[in-house]
Each structure stands twice: as structure tokens, then as C-alpha cells.
Amino acid sequence: MIMTGAEIVIRCLQEEKVEYVFGYPGGSVLHIYDELFKQDKVKHILVRHEQAAVHAADGLARSTQKVGVALVTSGPGATNAVTGIATAYMDSIPLVVITGQVPSAYIGQDAFQECDTVGITRPCVKHNFLVRDVKDIASTMKKAFHIASTGRPGPVVVDIPKDITAAKCEFDYPQTIQMRSYNPVVKGHLGQIKKAVELLLKAKRPMIYTGGGVILSDAADQLTRLTRRLGFPICNTLMGLGAYPASDAQFLGMPGMHGTVEANMAMQHSDVLLAIGARFDDRVIGNPDHFGSQPRKIIHIDIDPSSISKRVKVDVPIVGSVPDVLEEMLKLLDAEKSAPDAAALADWWKEIEGWRAKQCMKYKHKKNVIMPQYVIEKLHEVTGGNAIVTSDVGQHQMWAAQYYKFEQPRRWLNSGGLGTMGVGLPYAMGAAFAHPDKQIACVTGEASIQMCIQELSTAKQFRLPIKIICLNNRYLGMVRQWQEMFYGSRYSESYMDSLPDFVKLAEAYGHIGIRVEKPEDVEAALHKAFVEHKDECVFLDFLTDQKANVFPMVAAGKGLSDMILAEDL
Amino acid sequence: MRHIISILLENEAGALSRVAGLFSARAYNIESLTVAPTEDASLSRMTIVTSGSEEVLEQITKQLNKLVDVIKVVDLSEAAHIERELMLIKVRATGKDREEMKRMAEIFRGRIIDVTDSTYVVELTGTGAKLDAFIQAIDAGLILETVRTGVSGIGRGDRILKV
Ligand SMILES: Cc1ncc(C[n+]2csc(CCOP(=O)(O)OP(=O)(O)O)c2C)c(N)n1
């Protein structure tokens, strides 16, 4: 059938079974918006800022295994989307972002609302396209979804000039696509997997360390089976929380800058480290030289060869899809006669229990002041540990990661790589669309929430029952913590002055606002929000301890075992 | 160490900037970069001369392979290969320098391809080191202009880079 480019764009989205598109209209995408209007299969969610459109699509993708889709206009629409795209890129989130472009003939002439979108986004996308012919729209869209969702996932931008959306051609959606230049490896090398299993069985002080890759590839089940089977200790990074049930005895928590003593010490002192879908980030292993100074064998499973031996030299690299490789490992273990060295393992666990006994997550309660950690613990209780929790960036993010014990994957959405303040609310929106049946909590700070506060309006329009858990310390808390610890308590520009009255603000947007000032009111307020106002958006403004700090802490550039504990101060 | 990397990539608009952008974004060195379509017009062949430790080179190769437009990457310097670069050099050629310059060009197997009463343009092909040697050998004060293409490279014998 002959169709316009705009119609083809929408038909492609339908073919890809896209349910929600988050977007914002403008001149260059008017043809596409007109086609959206004429159908009802693809639902468009009008956000209040393009950054939030991309974050919301990203939140939907993180909470499902689907590709998130955003649609924005040229020029400022595209530049506003860049933070969202870069955020998704750093965490390998599959997105297709469609950007309008000025008509082909105007490109390069500084036309109204023109910008070089392909050029601007090139360093922060997995790939991008400028469509130059209406005949290329269908195959380009197919490629975009294919590239975004296969291999190491990531955002793909499709930039379409306005005249191309008006031009006509025959529509034919390719069911499959072959690209000679893009063929991600799936199957891990069997010889390498065998070597890895041998090494694991010989280990005296083994440790499993997993990251976002396990979540993205939906390998939590295989990981849990393998870990239980081996009886080894395991930690999940900030991006990997939920891959292994936090309540399990083999779980040591999160490693890294704000990781637990037991996770960091076990990482540092292990003799065989099995890294899965993780990338030895500076926030996880601290100083790489210090980390490397300890002799240990490293096995690294990752779909992206460039993640392997990038920051830390690896002994047994395995390139492949995580669930496939883990299944192979389980099969080999079944066939294998020998078992892990039980005596050595028992000694190792004894050592680990010694670190655990430090109870590094303990914090002191204060009379009449709400401790932020306490709010998260209560949040866990009230939601039965079953909510989808999003966060912004700062101390509250770390507390949410440390104290909300995630039992399942895709329940914890945060910007780990780019560390983008402002993602919390839009992530919650994306998750709310994908999971209308689940409780959604956005843990945020009074500073972060203001970076996308306008989305309270979107939440109203679509009646999203998001619960905003604002840990309001009247500071850029994480900045203040660094200033206290490393800059002689000179609090340069880290106090949030002239804060709005968040209760009134929530009400102005048509939501419910509740201020909580006393520890004894925390639980009741959460209950009110999640039970009484189950179907509404509630803004809970918790006035928390202003000087609470996140511990343990490994200062930037320091070794992983060099932790500052709450009790040291 | 110096490495010569050969890349076969889609001849698409923007493919060059993806490669160049990767090198600048990740702070890799580029000594020279040359690119042109191959006998198959849908493909481009690029040669990059870079330097770095073994670890950096491994990352460069992996990162290049990760680019969606890149089809194949080889480090030519890992085995027998040939490298060639073309230089056009304009020199002052008056009085006794005229004869001297002509002799130098001959020694280096260069050709004089443009002549005026005061200048020559010498065309010279060879490894980067040979072109450097020519520049060293002649009187620096006589050089008016140099243009170099950057290195192109190809594997010897059966080493073939093809789709
Ligand atoms: C967009 C952006 N700008 C700046 C920063 C740097 N930064 C990291 S944490 C932080 C403070 C966040 O304050 P708040 O949201 O109140 O959270 P808190 O740390 O107090 O829990 C800042 C400014 C950032 N991560 N993102």
C-alpha cells in the first residue's frame, strides 16, 4: 500500500508492537503527530519536557525487557532529549528515539529549529540514522529496533526530515534484517567456559560479582541457580541489584564506593572472581592499581568484548549472552564429578562472616529527627518489598540501594552510569505505564525532584499512582557530604535555599501532598500513601536529618578495602 | 608502539566521523587517517596510524569493531605488510640548488612533476620514514610547502581484508 512517510513511521511502531510513545510535538514532527491522531494502537504520552520523554521511555524499558520509544521535534526538542539519550547509553538501555529534522533541502542552512542531531548524539548513541529517502524509513526503523535490543543494548536515534514524512512510497515492513557490519556474538566459547568452570571448582576464596548485564539479559534465574549450586558469596552492583535475592544468606550486598564491608572485602581478597555483565567501574572497584595488587584470577562474562580487560586485566574472558553462558556452566557442573572445595569454602565463609559481623549498615537513630535510612526500611515494609523503586541521584539513591532489599530483577531503576539527577519521576512514569498493577515509589531528594518537577502534570493527566518519597535534607546532600569530608566542611553552594512548599506544590498539580517531620509518623504516612491513596499520586515530603551521611564510603581513588565506616567518626 | 590499523567499513555518510569521533572521545592517538571507497562502492577502506600500549591497542580494535558501520578491523603491523604514503613537496629551486634538488629527488626515487624557474614540486612515495628522511636530507630553508596523504597499508601475500 502507498503511504506517507509519517504513516509508515507509525505503522513501523505498530509492527514492533510498541504500546507507548513518550513525546512532545513541534513543527518538524507535525505530519507524524497527525498520523498518531488517526489511530489508536500506539498510545502517545504527552510529557512536559523532552528530557522526561526519553527518561520515561527508558524507565519503561528498564522495568520490562521492551524497547522504549520517544518522539521529539527538531532543534530544541532534540537537544532537550540528549540528557535522556546519554543516560540510557551509559546504562545500555534499549531505546529508539525518533527526532524530527528540518526539510532535506534546508539542512545545513541554519534553518529555523535546525541542529545537527546525528552529530550531537553520535557519541552517546549505540547508532544513529538520518533518513534521506522515504523508501528507507521502514528498513531504518527495523534496523533501529534490531540494533537497540540486540548485543549490548543501547539507544538508537532516527532523525527524519519533515519532507520525508510527507513523501509517499509503498510500505513493506521487513520481518527480519541482515546487516553485514553488525552481528553480535551470542554463544560463549565452550573451551573458555570449561576453563572457567575448572577455575571455579579449584577456588579457595571465590566471589561472584554481577552488574546490569544480568538484569538486561534477564539472567537472574540462571544466576541464582548457579550461585546456589556453587555455594559462593555474591554481590550485585548498583545496576545489578535484584539479580540475586537480597534476603539470601549468600548475598553480601552491593560492592563499591558505598558498598558493604563484606562485599568489598570479599571482592578484594577473593582468589577467583567471577564477574558477570559488570564492567569494573571506578565506583565499584575503586583504584584499579590497588585492586590489581591482590593476586586473583578473574573470569569475565560479557556480551561486549570491549568491556573485557578495559580497566582490569582478565584471565578468562567469555564473550557471549549471559543466560546462555550460565546455562552452559550449569550443564558442565552437572556433568562434573568434582565439587567446590568444601573445607576451603567453609574457611572463606568464616572470614566473610567476620566482616559481616561489623554490621556496617547499622545507623544511629535520633530523637525527633527522621533518619533517611529509616524511611527506606519502612518503605520496604509497607510495600512488602515488592514495589518498583526508582531513584534520582545523591545520598537518597545510595540509601534506597542499601536499605530497600531487592528480591527480584527490574524492580530498581536508577541512573548508575551518567548519574543524572531528574530521572526518578519520569522513570516512575515509564514503569507505571508498563506495570499498572504494581506499587511504584520514586525515592528522591528535594534537589533532584526539581529537575523534572514539571512531570507532576503528566502524572496527573494520566492518573499515575506514583508515590514520591522525598528525603528532604535541605541540602545537595551528596555534595554536602563530600564537602564535609574532603573540603573542610566548606558548604559551597550546596544548601537548597528558598525551597518550595512541596505539599502545596503537589496540591497545585492536583495531587496529594503530605509533610512528615517526626520519626513516629513515618510509617503511618507511608501507609496512608500506599493504602488509603493507593490509586493517586502522593508526594511525601520527609524532613530528614540534615547531616546524615552515606556509609561505608571508599573515597574516590582509594582502594576498595580502604573504607570509612559510620563508627569511625 | 606504532600500529597501522586497516578498517573495512560501510561507505555511509557519517561513517568517517564515527571513527574519528571514537578516537577523540576515548583519547586515542591518530597519527594519520586515510579513507576512500574500494572496488565495491558500498565499502570504504580506511588506514589509521596510531600508537599506544598493547592494552590501548586491544581497546582500539574492540571499540572499532563495536561501531555498527565497521565490518572488519585488522592490525596490519601484527604481520608482514606494506605501507605507502605519497608526498608532494614544493621546494625553492634556483641557482645551484636546482641541480642539487634534482639529484636528491633521484636518490629518493622521487619525480619532479611541476617546474617553474624558481620552484619544483617533487612527488615521493614510500614509507612514512622514507618521506621523513627526504625532508631531513634537503635544506629545510628551501621547503615551501608539503602535502602528505597519510599512510595506506595492505597485508602481504595471502593476508586479505575482504567482506
Ligand atoms: C544533572 C546533575 N547535576 C549535578 C549533579 C551532581 N550531584 C550529584 S548528587 C547531587 C545532590 C543531589 O541532591 P538531592 O537531590 O537533594 O539528594 P541528596 O543527595 O540530598 O539525597 C548533585 C548536585 C548530578 N548528579 N546531576
Side-chain angles (χ1 to χ4, degrees), chain A residues 291-367:
Chain A
F291 186 72
S293 67
Q294 194 77 19
R296 77 171 82 64
K297 294 269 184 239
I298 300 179
I299 303 161
H300 191 176
I301 309 170
D302 206 290
I303 190 84
D304 176 8
S306 75
S307 271
I308 295 175
S309 291
K310 182 172 70 177
R311 301 194 74 242
V312 166
K313 193 99 190 95
V314 166
D315 302 280
V316 184
I318 305 173
V319 176
S321 141
V322 171
D324 277 32
V325 174
L326 296 187
E327 285 293 357
E328 283 301 335
M329 282 184 148
L330 281 161
K331 256 195 254 162
L332 288 175
L333 281 171
D334 281 341
E336 183 67 47
K337 302 225 167 35
S338 55
D341 182 339
L345 203 53
D347 284 347
W348 177 227
W349 269 112
K350 216 182 278 161
E351 204 171 338
I352 292 170
E353 291 307 338
W355 292 319
R356 220 180 221 170
K358 281 201 181 289
Q359 300 194 314
C360 65
M361 287 301 167
K362 250 174 96 174
Y363 61 94
K364 284 203 188 75
H365 287 274
K366 283 187 187 169
K367 219 175 158 224

Side-chain angles (χ1 to χ4, degrees), chain A residues 51 83 372 392-399 418-422 444-451 470-481 493-494 496 544 550:
Chain A
Q51 179 186 348
T83 298
D392 273 301
V393 174
Q395 292 181 313
H396 62 271
Q397 175 191 25
M398 293 302 127
W399 286 317
L418 200 65
T420 309
M421 288 168 69
T444 184
E446 78 292 342
S448 290
I449 192 67
Q450 293 191 73
M451 287 219 177
C470 181
L471 302 181
N472 184 346
N473 52 13
R474 283 81 76 210
Y475 274 112
L476 302 177
M478 190 53 95
V479 173
R480 192 204 56 74
Q481 175 168 347
E493 305 299 321
S494 55
M496 287 300 279
T544 56
V550 183

Side-chain angles (χ1 to χ4, degrees), chain A residues 507-528:
Chain A
E507 286 168 1
Y509 276 108
H511 302 305
I512 293 157
I514 304 173
R515 179 168 303 115
V516 192
E517 302 184 49
K518 294 209 187 71
E520 59 269 29
D521 297 336
V522 169
E523 191 168 345
L526 285 165
H527 202 266
K528 199 166 168 187

Side-chain angles (χ1 to χ4, degrees), chain A residues 1 79 91 132 138 154 167 189 194 213 242 264-265 272 287 312 352-353 362 366 425 445 455:
Chain A
M1 213 166 81
T79 55
D91 290 341
R132 290 160 182 280
H189 188 278
K194 273 196 186 123
N264 284 349
M265 294 302 273
V272 175
N287 184 325
V312 166
I352 292 170
E353 291 307 338
K362 250 174 96 174
K366 283 187 187 169
L425 180 52
E455 297 309 317

Side-chain angles (χ1 to χ4, degrees), chain A residues 127-148:
Chain A
H127 198 59
N128 58 18
F129 296 95
L130 171 62
V131 182
R132 290 160 182 280
D133 189 324
V134 65
K135 290 197 220 64
D136 296 336
I137 293 180
S139 62
T140 305
M141 290 290 283
K142 181 77 200 177
K143 280 183 193 165
F145 277 89
H146 175 62
I147 293 168

